[in-house]
Amino acid sequence: MEFERTLGDAPTRERVARSILELGPSTAAVLAERLDLTPAAVRRHLDHLIEEGAVEPRTPRVYGHRGRGRPAKVFALTEAGRDRFDQQYDDLAVQALRFLAETGGDEAVMEFARRRVAGLETRYREIVEERPDVEPSVALAEALTQGGYAASVREIPVGQQLCQQHCPVSHVAHEFPQLCEAETEAFSRLLGRHVQRLATIAHGDGVCTTCIPTVSSPAPANERLSQR
């Protein structure tokens, strides 16, 4: 299955898989509505993707009061499913980081990881300079999306949750968690508050999630930059 083709030309099964990749674990009903397909057609393609090991059904987490009946299952990409999409890493990256760890130690790897997120910070600054009133978390999600992370922000009872549906370096980060740690440091620095990483694709979760706690009267993103 080729995942490089455009959405309009892609086979329906690829569209189903890419929708899950970009927007996260989804129910069959949501996929059907999103892709303008019948639920029966979506389930047929999901069955094939499950057989191929590209997708797996999961019981969704329920926050707050749980209603009557079982929640509809959601379908998430497996590690093998993610491998079908272009990944911005290869064996050379892993080998290079292993060499760096052997010769310079863990701190050298961490310093590399911190330098790597400089691109994210540059994209963030460009967004807030173009749109001074943008909410900081939204600007961060847009900067991440530009870098291939398919990120979004949603409201939760304690603040906001930053969701990254895709991680272009997940296999590398599985062996070198410093990449995730440096990202989290950058999130805190750009948002001007402590954030907490709750889950990562690199360690088997379906989505990278970060909790952004509520603060009183948050400043616009451009003001945060001017205070640095």
Side-chain angles (χ1 to χ4, degrees), residues 91-104 109 175-176:
D91 290 341
L92 181 61
V94 175
Q95 292 171 13
L97 284 176
R98 286 174 180 168
F99 176 79
L100 185 61
E102 291 172 2
T103 56
V109 176
E175 184 170 344
F176 296 98

Side-chain angles (χ1 to χ4, degrees), residues 33-190:
E33 182 178 357
R34 185 187 298 156
L35 300 174
D36 195 22
L37 299 169
T38 66
V42 168
R43 290 188 180 279
R44 183 172 67 251
H45 289 296
L46 286 171
D47 287 342
H48 280 289
L49 289 167
I50 291 171
E51 289 178 6
E52 295 170 357
V55 166
E56 62 183 5
R58 296 180 180 176
T59 300
R61 296 178 181 176
V62 177
Y63 299 93
H65 177 69
R66 181 170 181 172
R68 300 179 61 183
R70 294 182 179 180
K73 284 192 177 297
V74 296
F75 296 87
L77 284 184
T78 63
E79 184 174 340
R82 291 180 182 278
D83 286 345
R84 295 186 179 191
F85 293 89
D86 288 341
Q87 301 288 333
Q88 297 175 15
Y89 65 88
D90 54 22
D91 290 341
L92 181 61
V94 175
Q95 292 171 13
L97 284 176
R98 286 174 180 168
F99 176 79
L100 185 61
E102 291 172 2
T103 56
D106 290 342
E107 186 55 38
V109 176
M110 191 65 197
E111 180 60 27
F112 168 83
R114 287 176 176 142
R115 291 192 182 189
R116 179 181 169 273
V117 300
L120 168 66
E121 299 190 53
T122 298
R123 292 191 298 272
Y124 177 89
R125 290 190 178 90
E126 291 173 350
I127 291 170
V128 300
E129 286 174 1
E130 292 176 0
R131 290 149 49 209
D133 295 330
V134 68
E135 188 175 0
S137 58
V138 173
L140 177 57
E142 291 184 15
L144 285 164
T145 296
Q146 290 177 13
Y149 289 85
S152 61
V153 178
R154 69 184 185 91
E155 300 296 324
I156 58 175
V158 296
Q160 295 176 316
Q161 190 172 81
L162 177 68
C163 300
Q164 297 161 249
Q165 309 292 353
H166 183 49
C167 177
V169 294
S170 59
H171 282 191
V172 180
H174 179 74
E175 184 170 344
F176 296 98
Q178 293 95 329
L179 296 177
C180 297
E181 293 169 15
E183 275 187 3
T184 305
E185 286 182 358
F187 294 172
S188 292
R189 187 163 57 250
L190 293 172

